[in-house]
């Protein structure tokens, strides 16, 4: 009785039999592949000579005769030498694409996919010899016993190598990787860069690949589909988990597609040294999957669709966008192009140049790429029929605003990088008006309003492909796929996702939350004022916090902690092979300059060989002197990324700059001294996550935020992000009714102003109407009414500018009011509000300051899908009542909360008070209802009941806290006030 072959050889047989459509019979092509004979492989020339000659005789017999290849001997060796030299110089991909010239002959070495109906090209493509050979002895050294499990060839040229392992025999993909690193000498010709596309390590559960074998430094990346939004592969009811590799990726058509549209040997020149560096590009699974699915959908549905691609930071979005762009150009339905032009919009200058370079690497489209720096450029490029136009989001609205109506009959593919920041209502409106062919110059005001409304809509003649790692609710609702759920809500999800969870688990990016260390500050302020003046408590607390943390003494102390930590915990431990860099994220230009000088000073005192770089925008007056990046760094601003990669520079001190869109794999450590939350926290801390072969971890020392705030920021984007429900357009009816009610404006004024504005009237005709409305706003409304009106006006404009792009219907009244309020709001004066905390900084002094790092922790993120709420339509909170307090009391509470008083279990108790109790109270349904529909007094009553229930729940775990709450009236009152302040402010 025979049993199943569970050995490594059994997996080998499965792969070969699938590719050949047989059980290993020589010459069978049932699966499109021949099975090669390992004896036919010549390791000196790196070719399967039998398959190469078979292909050339079948397709180019005249070349075989011209070059005397059938004669063998010196003429054949000369040809093989020429072929090997071209592969070494240009890479196997370019040789397959372009062939070689030798002597009097031009030799084709591969025939690409034929266009529909081209029978001659179809026959040539079918003549390509795809082959798979088992147990290939790759070394020309007869003493070497090195044998590869499988090698894939096209027309005799090796393309992919494989090492296969089987977990049932206690060997895994890790063993295959180690075999490549340890036993495969990178000096062998077959393993030289560009000789093969990639080297695959696989078992029945996982696949990995490497494009350049370099011994122990070889960098293998996962090539897996993913499972449960994470790493690995899902169970396969039809076979083993990894059979997609040979059933989907390695088919003749799929591999041809990779050769023609994805793989590339890239050569870059270092600006400073002029040295050339080459690298082999091969698509990761998620990139190939996303681009192919997008192309398939666009081919099926044509122009006019919207796609959201949620790909994690570090996932290779630049290449994905480039691959998609150049293939959209040639996409056809029948024999007609689906898109006339592809416009790539990015808000990152680095990516702007990167995209240009990547797209131009593909020879077949390089002549069709143009870059628009101005409106004239874009008009000329469109008129000249340029197929791919790259521009930045900063220029795009202004460029498109000047375009005429001649483009209405054309179709466009618009690729948007980081969609959440580049697709706001006004930018989208400008883009859509320009590309829709909306006609200019109708006289009737009604026609003008209708034209603007229609142009605001997403274009029927354009498809939008929006890429982002962190989609906001607007982004999901505009670009995401809608899905109805059981309770009737409509959710929006990305078309394709490669999650932060999967990217982190697969090692494409590093887990920046793995080593997060919060730093607790201890300080004591003393009163200098002789009397005991009254100040607004909340404003005073904010000012004191800013004063203390920005005080020169505090900054110097924190700078010393940063520098000491970097030398002792980063450099001394040889992080990133001794090349690690650090970023210091600050909250203002002034703070950045103070830090920069403090760090530079302390580095000199330590005798450190390293220096810092500072980055901020524009010119800043500091200590009576006007400073710029260039004046402080002693080199030009545009050189900062390049210089930071070189010694002696190891610290990059930033104020906003380089906190988004900055990819530097050497960046290992971040020191944070600014508030972070939401997407901003994710984007800032994710600067550390770029992978590097010698980078195995990251480190964050946070002087400002706590772990819970950071966890909440990252959680929605860890897995696929989903919009929980759509924005309710009826909220616009409610907002309009509330805005109409105070009679700040009349219907006639709105109609007349919008008509004048859309007709291009001068300011002298607009301002009298606006000023009349401003007068009523000041005369009719009290301070609270003014705050409420202005907040609702902003909410209306914000919500309509978004909903106007996606609603299937139009509402002229909404459009007019939106235009009217956009013009009116900037002229509405803010209520005069006295700063009741003025003078507090002159009345105090910093007596002592110290910062103490807590133990490092790993922030674990939830496995639940990240669901976010719809676009908020509520206006902001009204004007808060000042809470006056004596200076001595403010300082006492400040020092009590943030000072150096040592309590037993202080951190635990404070975390319960600051995080757990407010969270429980906010989750209370009765309190939620009161917040939504009642005034402050009723909300306070429900809050106190909710707090009592929450404290009761903590009885068993926090007896001391419960006892204080029950027995100590002062503590009871203080805790109630504190939790209410925290939860009521979150409305």
């Amino acid at each position: 009785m025979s049993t199943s072959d569970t050995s490594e050889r059994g997996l080998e047989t499965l792969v070969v039999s699938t590719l050949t459509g047989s059980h290993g019979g020589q010459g069978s092509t049932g699966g499109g592949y021949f099975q090669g004979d390992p004896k036919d492989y010549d390791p000196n020339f790196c070719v399967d000579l039998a398959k190469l000659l078979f292909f050339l005789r079948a397709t180019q017999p005249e070349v075989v005769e011209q070059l005397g290849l059938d004669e063998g001997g010196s003429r054949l060796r000369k040809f093989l030498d020429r072929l090997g030299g071209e592969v070494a110089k240009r890479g196997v991909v370019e040789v397959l694409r372009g062939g070689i010239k030798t002597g009097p002959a031009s030799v084709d070495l591969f025939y690409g996919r034929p266009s529909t109906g081209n029978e001659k090209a179809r026959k040539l493509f079918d003549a390509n010899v795809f082959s798979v050979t088992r147990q290939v002895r790759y070394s020309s050294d007869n003493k070497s016993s090195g044998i590869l499990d499988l090698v894939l060839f096209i027309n005799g040229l090796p393309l992919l190598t494989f090492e296969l392992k089987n977990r049932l025999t206690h060997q895994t993909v890790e063993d295959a990787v180690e075999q490549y690193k340890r036993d495969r000498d990178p000096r062998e010709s077959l393993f030289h860069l560009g000789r093969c596309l990639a080297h695959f390590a696989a078992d029945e559960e996982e696949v990995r690949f490497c494009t350049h074998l370099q011994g122990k430094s070889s960098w293998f990346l996962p090539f897996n589909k993913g499972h449960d939004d994470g790493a690995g592969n899902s169970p396969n009811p039809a076979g083993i988990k990894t059979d997609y590799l040979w059933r989907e990726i390695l088919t003749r058509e799929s591999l041809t597609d990779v050769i023609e549209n994805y793989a590339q040997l890239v050569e870059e020149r270092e600006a400073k040294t002029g040295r050339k560096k080459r690298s082999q590009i091969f698509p990761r699974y998620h990139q190939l999957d996303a681009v192919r699915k997008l192309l398939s959908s666009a081919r099926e549905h044509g122009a006019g669709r919207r796609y959201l691609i949620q790909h994690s930071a570090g996932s290779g979005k630049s290449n994905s966008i480039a691959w998609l762009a150049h293939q959209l150009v040639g996409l056809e339905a029948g024999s007609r192009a689906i898109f006339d032009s592809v416009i790539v919009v990015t808000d990152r200058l680095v990516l702007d140049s990167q995209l240009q370079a990547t797209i131009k690497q593909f020879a077949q489209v390089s002549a069709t790429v143009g870059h628009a720096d101005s409106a004239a450029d874009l008009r000329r490029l469109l008129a000249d029929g340029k197929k791919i136009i790259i521009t930045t989001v900063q220029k795009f609205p202004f460029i498109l605003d000047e375009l005429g109506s001649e483009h209405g009959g054309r179709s466009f593919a618009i690729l948007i990088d980081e969609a959440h920041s580049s697709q706001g209502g006004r930018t989208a409106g400008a883009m859509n008006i320009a590309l829709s062919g909306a006609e200019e110059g109708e006289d009737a005001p009604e026609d003008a309003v209708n034209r603007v409304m229609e142009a605001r809509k997403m274009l029927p003649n354009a498809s939008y492909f929006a890429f982002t790692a962190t989609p906001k609710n607007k982004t999901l609702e505009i670009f995401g796929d809608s899905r109805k759920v059981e309770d009737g809500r409509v959710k929006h999800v990305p078309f394709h996702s490669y999650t932060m969870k999967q990217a982190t688990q697969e090692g494409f990016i590093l887990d920046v939350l793995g080593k997060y260390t919060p730093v607790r500050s201890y300080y004591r302020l003393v009163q200098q004022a002789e009397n005991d003046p009254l100040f607004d408590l909340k404003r005073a607390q904010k000012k004191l916090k800013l004063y203390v943390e920005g005080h020169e003494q505090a900054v110097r102390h924190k700078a010393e902690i940063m520098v000491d930590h970097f030398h002792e915990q980063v450099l001394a431990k040889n992080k990133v092979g001794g090349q690690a860099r650090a970023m210091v994220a600050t909250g203002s230009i002034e703070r950045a300059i103070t830090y920069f000088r403090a760090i530079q000073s302390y580095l000199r005192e330590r005798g450190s060989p390293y220096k810092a770089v500072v980055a901020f925008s524009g010119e800043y007056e500091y200590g009576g002197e006007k400073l710029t990046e260039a004046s402080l760094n002693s080199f030009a601003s545009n050189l900062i990324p390049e210089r930071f990669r070189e010694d002696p520079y190891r610290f990059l001190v930033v104020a906003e700059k380089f906190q988004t869109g900055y990819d530097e794999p050497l960046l290992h450590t971040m020191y944070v001294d600014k508030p972070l939350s939401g997407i901003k926290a994710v984007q800032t801390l994710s600067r550390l996550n770029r992978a590097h072969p010698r980078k195995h971890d990251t480190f964050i020392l946070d002087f400002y935020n706590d772990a819970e705030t950071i966890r909440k920021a990252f959680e929605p984007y860890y897995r696929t992000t989903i919009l929980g429900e759509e924005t309710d357009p009826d909220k616009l009816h409610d907002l309009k009714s509330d805005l109409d009610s105070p009679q700040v404006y009349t219907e006639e004024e709105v109609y007349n102003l919008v008509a004048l504005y859309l007709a291009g009237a001068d300011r002298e005709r607009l301002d009298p109407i606006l000023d009349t409305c401003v007068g009523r706003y000041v005369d009719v409304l009290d301070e609270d009414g003014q705050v409420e009106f202005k907040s609702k006006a902003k909410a209306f404009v914000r919500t309509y500018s978004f909903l106007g792009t996606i609603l299937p219907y139009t509402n002229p009244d909404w459009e007019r009011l939106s235009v009217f309020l956009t013009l009116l709001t900037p002229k509405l004066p803010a209520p005069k509000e006295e700063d009741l905390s003025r003078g507090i900084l002159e009345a105090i002094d910093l007596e002592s300051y110290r910062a103490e790092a807590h133990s490092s922790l790993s922030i674990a993120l939830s496995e639940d899908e990240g669901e976010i709420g719809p676009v908020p339509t509520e206006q902001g909170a009204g004007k808060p009542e000042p809470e006056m307090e004596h200076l001595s009391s403010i300082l006492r509470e400040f020092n009590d909360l943030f000072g150096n008083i040592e309590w037993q279990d202080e951190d635990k108790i404070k975390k319960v008070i600051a995080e757990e109790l407010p969270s429980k109270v906010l989750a209370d349904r009765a309190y939620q209802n009161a917040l939504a529909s009642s005034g402050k007094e009723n909300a306070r009553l429900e809050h106190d009941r909710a707090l009592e229930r929450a404290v009761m729940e903590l009885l068993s775990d926090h007896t001391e806290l419960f006892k204080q709450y029950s027995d100590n009236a002062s503590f009871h009152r203080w805790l109630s006030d504190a939790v209410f302040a925290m939860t009521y402010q979150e409305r």
Side-chain angles (χ1 to χ4, degrees), residues 409-477:
R410 305 181 68 194
S411 59
F412 298 89
I414 300 172
L415 279 60
I416 305 167
D417 173 58
E418 289 305 333
H420 59 74
S421 55
S422 62
Q423 192 57 23
R426 302 227 160 259
T427 300
M431 180 192 306
N432 297 343
I433 290 169
L435 294 179
S436 65
E439 294 184 9
E440 303 285 338
E442 290 105 333
D443 293 324
E446 194 66 35
D447 291 336
V449 170
N450 288 332
R451 174 167 52 82
V452 172
M453 281 192 298
E454 289 303 323
R456 187 190 291 278
K457 300 288 181 193
M458 305 297 278
L459 300 180
N461 61 326
S463 284
Y464 298 80
F465 302 83
F467 288 76
T468 181
T470 49
K472 289 181 178 177
N473 42 24
K474 281 185 182 181
T475 319
L476 277 161
E477 197 158 350

Side-chain angles (χ1 to χ4, degrees), residues 525 527 529 531-535 840 844 885-896:
L525 299 171
Q527 182 172 331
N531 55 1
D532 198 4
L534 284 166
F535 294 105
I840 191 167
I844 55 96
E885 191 60 83
H886 284 285
L887 174 61
S888 57
S889 177
I890 291 171
L891 290 182
R892 185 166 56 253
E893 183 175 358
F894 190 81
N895 287 327
D896 283 347

Side-chain angles (χ1 to χ4, degrees), residues 581-611:
R581 264 66 180 166
M583 177 182 282
V584 181
T586 73
S588 67
I589 295 176
E590 182 171 352
R591 185 78 60 86
I593 295 171
T594 307
Y595 261 117
F596 171 71
R597 289 183 162 172
I599 289 170
Q600 289 282 70
S601 171
Y602 188 56
L603 284 168
R604 286 192 296 270
E605 287 178 28
R606 272 187 65 111
S608 171
Y610 300 116
K611 291 184 178 181

Side-chain angles (χ1 to χ4, degrees), residues 18 28 227 279 388 478 769 808 818 829:
T18 304
S28 172
H227 173 57
S279 57
I388 299 176
I478 291 175
I769 300 174
S818 174

Side-chain angles (χ1 to χ4, degrees), residues 566-587:
F566 189 74
H567 281 78
E568 294 160 16
Q569 300 297 322
V570 180
L571 293 176
K573 294 186 177 180
N574 204 40
K575 299 294 185 180
V576 200
Q579 292 299 305
R581 264 66 180 166
M583 177 182 282
V584 181
T586 73

